[in-house]
């Protein structure tokens, strides 16, 4: 029950009881938000108890000033609207599809409604009463369009300048700003805000956010309908209305995320700003005028109506929020019409047929009594006009007809104490001190002697039912509301005790507060100001002091500092204010300081004698004191309890306890140990067991040990489990029969732990108990399994459920370790110092790595096992089948050599021990050939093999014409001249490809071989090339062929050296290509970034060869002398007048992912794109495995 507020004057002034509730219950930010969000969006009642003035809010005065301004704002908005229609060059029927045009239309509708409200004021003149509390229909419509237009204007302002004005796409340009652009995307928004918040004062509420969200959602639904219809945007040709509002599959996730962010973050955030800004601008009804409204409405109500009712229903609806019950409406056939009862009257009293009379009823109580007595005749209900007459108060002496005689006390002259059971008390309290104004029939106070009119003296609450004296808290000098709240908060508690006094008897005064208090000071400033005198007096407690939060009810200015204990246990006595301030300042960053304060007039703690102080100079880390019965003779203060002083005859001196030590634990009779004690708890505990034989106190040095925390239930359970574990047998071997074992294993435990055993489990006969784990299991075929998981064990038991002879070993995991699976040690092969491996044709089943080359792995069937080769040995030499020996090979050259000659017989590889590599490796024989050989070679094959860069001669066939020229193995190629064109700085691939290309031609081929130690001739620089006055840049279309007839020179940039006479490019180009540098090679469908990274001639030749079949290739050329710092790699890679390659070949996200994965695996990008393009042209699906197989089949990549 709650206390009743009966203040008719206050009720009249505020209009009804709802105002009082709102003014007192919805003052917090969260409560205000919840109330505003849940209330009717167009209620006139504010959370602060005031009522919105409709006329001043929607049709402000004076009209001669407001109406012209509204006309001007509406005219400007209409001007922008007309200009927009005139200047719109797109499809007229599509104009209303855009969001900004929705915004313009909604804004115009609101402005016309607002102007109409000011011109036609009849709709705003009739201010609803406080009881009707709803805005008229026209005002509600205006309110809705104000919310929609404001939210649309903000989204339009934000979206236009961030997404439409500059689209953020590549190539976007900032459009020119015009009057029309500014007004439509910003100006109207400002004018609308001024009109709604300055001329009008329309409130913004959290409930209106739902309207704004629904309005925005309406346009989103329209965009979805537009996308589903497939009509597209006839103005731009795009799929969606806007590029950023595109619901196609490619942009579905981005669009959904943007819409969600707008609805969940942007709109609520800006709504909070509007909400805060609208608060100062609201216009309310004056309180006096509201009172006059209420009084005028009540003039026609009769002053009092007494109804003698027959059996049946009243057919009346009472306002559930009012006290007293107010008639809200009456049915047409209600019997109350005959007596003159009208809505607005309140119920004063209800008298039943047996004479029981009820006063000051709530709506709930009235409806209950009327329902229970609906079969009775002779019920009398009194109705009043609440603005003319006051309610009849409950009589001080209860009417004997109102309660059964058994509930009346025999006497009420003495105090009565009643212990309440859990549940409701069933009383109504009022005034201070609390007076019982009503007792319900179900109240536990019935029959206890408590009567209406008695005063509640005290309330005692017990927080520990086992020890009433220890944790009993008594509340004194209570108010009715305070007592009601306490009874509600502890409605489910046992042992609540109420003490009642007869009327006129004085209540018990609240006992004085504790005279001394030990304050545990936190690190940092404590915000206290002390007097300079001795002892230090606390003159001021600053608002920022942390002690106000730690000790809010006891710590007050004027208290005296008695002692100060520092973090090291040093105690200071009888200080001056200056000394106290200096000590606190010097140790302000330390924890563990304790300050004892007392009330003025109390005696200070004297400074200890020299004996006690000397004894406290050395503090042990820990002391266990098993004390005898009797007092211990010491004093404790603070949290945790710290020894402040000890009597000279204290038994604790014998154990070495000194001042400053902390009481950690106390163990009493029965082995019960108490942890984390407060000073009060420790004192009471020692007093309670003062005469006990067994008391063990643990004292600790607070600088060395922390206080022992109270064990958790889990820790106590673990201790119990330890006891159970001690009872487990260390090991059990169980020869289990066939069938189900009736055991449940814990799935979370590894190894399998027995969680439970069924009643009929055969394992109980062996002594197996829960908690044991499975060590091993031996099956019927003598197979033994070790280190099983729960799933593996379960599968084994199910597979062999009907087998005999299974043996399971259970162990106690805390006593016996799990048996590990036996490891069969393999004898390591002894590594020989050196060996020669004769390789057969084919693969040798080995892996190699590092430099010098080391064998890292060998298959079981590798032929090297037969020659005693072991993993870890290093490669020394390789002799091929023709007798050629290779020395000091690096990893790439070694692997290439094995691959190129894998089908040969007679290959011999010499391996040596890595620890003796330097002393056993075969030195490379010195070069003994000529220093230089320049020869003109005939047409046909030269019978020579090259390797490395620059290319070295690694093999000469017997028929090679180079023998006759004096070329020997080991020489390297310096230059190759074909038909007068010289090629420089080539690797073995470029030389082989060039000689093969011109093998059958009649052109003269001249090759210059040099000794290995010679330096190759560098190519001529591009600036040495004779240039013409041709254009600065060229784009040359390359035919789909490999033989382009071009030679190149240089590196940065790579320049065209010559164009052969027979080349298709020589006849088709109006300009000479010689001397131009390659900026890019454009290949349709290829990643353009790849083509920017052409750093050497090899890359150019490989790219041209890989893309020889593709039509539309372009060679983008520039004059190098015009770019001394190199070509700009950020230039547009696409040819002039065309779109980039990404527009001609569209790759899906899945296809791009496949391409990226294959490139990471080491495949060439050109081979990947070629194969994927072939699959796409053939209509085949793009699958990663198929593309990989296609690349390998074509021999590319």
């Amino acid at each position: 029950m709650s206390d009743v507020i009966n203040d008719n004057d206050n009720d009249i002034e505020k209009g009804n009881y709802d105002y009082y509730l709102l003014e007192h219950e919805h003052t917090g930010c969260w409560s205000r938000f919840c109330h505003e969000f849940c209330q009717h969006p167009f209620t006139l009642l504010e959370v602060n108890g005031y009522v919105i003035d409709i006329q001043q809010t929607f049709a402000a005065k004076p009209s001669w000033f407001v109406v012209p301004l509204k006309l001007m704002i509406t005219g400007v908005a209409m001007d922008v609207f007309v200009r927009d229609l005139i200047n719109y060059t797109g499809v007229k029927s599509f104009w209303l599809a855009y969001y900004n045009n929705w915004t313009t239309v909604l804004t115009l509708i609101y402005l016309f409604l607002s102007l109409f409200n000011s011109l036609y004021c009849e709709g705003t003149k009739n201010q609803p009463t406080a009881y009707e509390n709803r805005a008229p229909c026209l005002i509600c419509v205006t309110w809705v369009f104000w919310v929609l237009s404001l939210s649309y204007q903000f989204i339009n302002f934000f979206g236009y300048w961030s997404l439409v004005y500059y689209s953020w796409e590549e190539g976007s340009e900032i459009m020119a700003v015009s009057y029309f652009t500014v007004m439509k995307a910003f100006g109207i928004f400002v004018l609308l805000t001024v009109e709604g918040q300055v001329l009008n004062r329309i409130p913004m509420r959290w409930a209106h956010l739902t309207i704004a969200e629904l309005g925005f959602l309406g346009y989103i639904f329209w965009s979805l309908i537009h996308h589903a219809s497939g009509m597209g945007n006839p103005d731009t040709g795009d799929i969606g209305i806007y590029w950023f509002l595109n619901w196609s599959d490619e942009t579905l996730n981005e669009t959904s995320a943007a819409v969600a962010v707008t609805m969940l973050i942007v709109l609520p955030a800006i709504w909070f700003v509007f909400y805060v800004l609208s608060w100062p601008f609201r216009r309310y009804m004056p309180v006096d005028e509201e009172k006059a409204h209420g009084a005028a409405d009540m003039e026609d109500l009769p002053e009092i109506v007494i109804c003698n009712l027959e059996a049946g229903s009243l057919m009346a609806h009472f306002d559930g929020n009012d006290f007293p019950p107010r008639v809200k409406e009456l049915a047409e056939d209600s019997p109350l019409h005959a007596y003159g009862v009208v809505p607005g009257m309140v119920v004063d009293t209800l008298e039943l047929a047996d004479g029981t009379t009820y006063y000051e009823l709530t709506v709930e109580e009235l409806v209950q009594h009327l329902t229970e007595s609906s079969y009775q005749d002779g019920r009398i209900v009194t109705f009043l006009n609440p603005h003319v007459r006051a309610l009849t108060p409950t009589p001080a002496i209860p009417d004997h007809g109102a309660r059964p005689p058994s509930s009346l006390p025999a006497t009420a002259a003495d105090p009565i104490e009643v212990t309440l059971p859990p549940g409701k008390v069933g009383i109504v309290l009022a005034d201070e001190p609390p007076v019982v104004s009503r007792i319900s029939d179900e109240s536990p106070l019935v029959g206890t002697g408590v009567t209406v009119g008695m005063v509640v003296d005290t309330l005692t609450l017990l927080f520990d039912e086992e020890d009433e004296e220890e944790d009993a808290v008594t509340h004194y000098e209570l108010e009715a509301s305070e007592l009601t709240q306490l009874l509600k908060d502890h409605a489910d508690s046992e042992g609540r005790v109420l003490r009642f006094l007869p009327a006129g008897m004085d209540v018990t005064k609240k006992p004085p507060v504790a005279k001394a208090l030990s304050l545990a000071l936190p690190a940092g400033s404590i915000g206290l100001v002390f007097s300079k005198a001795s002892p230090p007096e606390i003159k001021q407690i600053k608002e920022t002091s942390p002690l106000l939060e730690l000790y809010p009810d006891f710590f007050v200015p004027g208290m005296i500092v008695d002692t100060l204990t520092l973090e090291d246990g040093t105690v200071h006595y009888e200080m001056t204010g200056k000394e106290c301030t200096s000590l606190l300042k010097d140790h302000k960053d330390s924890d563990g300081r304790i300050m004892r304060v007392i009330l003025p007039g109390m005696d200070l703690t004297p400074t200890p004698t020299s004996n006690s102080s000397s004894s406290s100079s050395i503090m042990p880390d820990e002391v266990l004191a098993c004390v005898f019965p009797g007092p211990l003779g010491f004093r404790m203060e603070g949290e945790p309890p710290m020894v402040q002083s000890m009597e000279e005859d204290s038994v604790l001196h014998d154990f070495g306890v000194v001042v400053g030590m902390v009481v950690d634990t106390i163990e009493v009779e029965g082995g019960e140990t108490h942890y984390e004690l407060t000073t009060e708890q420790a004192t009471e505990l020692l007093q309670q067991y003062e005469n006990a034989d067994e008391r063990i106190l643990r004292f600790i040095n607070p600088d060395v040990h922390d206080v022992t925390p109270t064990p958790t239930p889990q820790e106590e359970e673990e201790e119990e489990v330890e006891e159970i574990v001690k009872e487990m047998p260390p090991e059990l071997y169980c020869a289990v029969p066939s069938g189900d074992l009736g055991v449940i294993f814990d799935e979370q435990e590894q190894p399998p732990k027995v969680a439970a055993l069924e009643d009929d489990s055969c394992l109980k006969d062996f002594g197996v108990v829960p908690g044991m784990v499975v060590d091993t299991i031996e099956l019927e075929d003598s197979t033994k399994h070790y280190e099983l998981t729960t799933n593996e064990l379960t599968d084994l038991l199910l597979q062999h459920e009907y087998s005999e002879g299974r043996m399971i070993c259970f162990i106690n995991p805390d006593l016996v370790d799990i048996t590990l699976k036996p490891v069969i040690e393999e004898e390591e092969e002894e590594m020989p110092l050196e060996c020669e491996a004769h390789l057969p044709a084919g693969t040798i089943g080995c892996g190699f790595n590092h430099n010098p080359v080391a064998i890292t792995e060998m298959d079981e069937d590798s032929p090297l096992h037969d020659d005693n080769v072991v993993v870890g040995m290093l490669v020394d030499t390789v002799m091929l089948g023709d007798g050629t020996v290779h020395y000091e090979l690096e990893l790439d050259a070694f692997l290439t050599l094995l691959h190129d000659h894998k089908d040969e017989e007679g290959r011999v590889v010499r391996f040596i021990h890595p620890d003796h590599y330097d002393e056993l490796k075969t030195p490379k024989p010195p070069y003994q050939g000529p220093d230089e050989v320049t020869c003109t070679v005939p047409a046909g094959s030269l019978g020579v093999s090259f390797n490395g860069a620059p290319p070295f001669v690694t093999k000469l066939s017997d028929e090679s014409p180079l023998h006759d020229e004096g070329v020997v193995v080991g020489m390297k190629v310096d230059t190759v001249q074909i038909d007068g064109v010289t090629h420089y700085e080539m690797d073995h691939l470029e030389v082989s490809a060039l000689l093969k290309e011109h093998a059958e031609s009649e052109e003269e081929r001249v090759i210059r071989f040099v000794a290995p130690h010679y330096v190759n001739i560098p190519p001529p620089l591009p600036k040495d090339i004779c240039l013409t006055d041709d254009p600065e840049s060229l784009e040359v279309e390359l035919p789909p062929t490999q033989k382009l007839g071009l030679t190149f020179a240089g590196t940065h940039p790579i320049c065209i050296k010559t164009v052969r006479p027979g080349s298709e490019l020589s006849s088709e180009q109006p300009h000479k290509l010689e001397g131009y540098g390659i900026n890019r090679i454009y290949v349709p469908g290829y990643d353009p970034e790849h083509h920017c990274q052409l750093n050497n001639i090899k890359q150019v030749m490989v790219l041209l060869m890989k893309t020889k079949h593709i039509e539309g290739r372009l060679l983008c050329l520039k004059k190098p002398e015009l770019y001394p710092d190199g070509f700009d790699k950020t230039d547009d890679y696409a040819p002039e007048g065309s779109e980039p390659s990404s527009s001609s070949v569209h790759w899906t996200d899945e296809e791009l992912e496949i391409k990226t994965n294959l490139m990471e695996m080491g495949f060439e990008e050109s081979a990947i794109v070629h194969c994927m393009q072939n699959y796409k042209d053939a209509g085949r699906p793009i699958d990663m495995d198929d593309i990989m197989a296609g690349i390998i089949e074509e021999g590319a990549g």
Side-chain angles (χ1 to χ4, degrees), residues 1074-1093:
E1074 290 87 346
Y1076 276 93
I1078 299 176
N1079 185 31
R1080 290 182 179 85
I1081 299 177
Y1082 168 73
V1083 181
Y1086 274 56
D1087 183 6
E1089 187 65 25
H1090 173 76
H1091 307 147
C1092 298
Q1093 310 302 322

Side-chain angles (χ1 to χ4, degrees), residues 1082 1088 1132-1135 1138-1145:
Y1082 168 73
D1132 187 9
Y1133 64 87
S1138 66
E1139 294 294 330
S1141 60
S1142 58
S1143 62
S1144 59
V1145 179

Side-chain angles (χ1 to χ4, degrees), residues 3 24 135 149 394 602 715 792 907 922 929:
D3 59 310
H24 289 75
S149 59
T394 302
M602 293 181 60
E715 292 174 346
E792 293 171 345
R907 296 175 297 167
T922 304

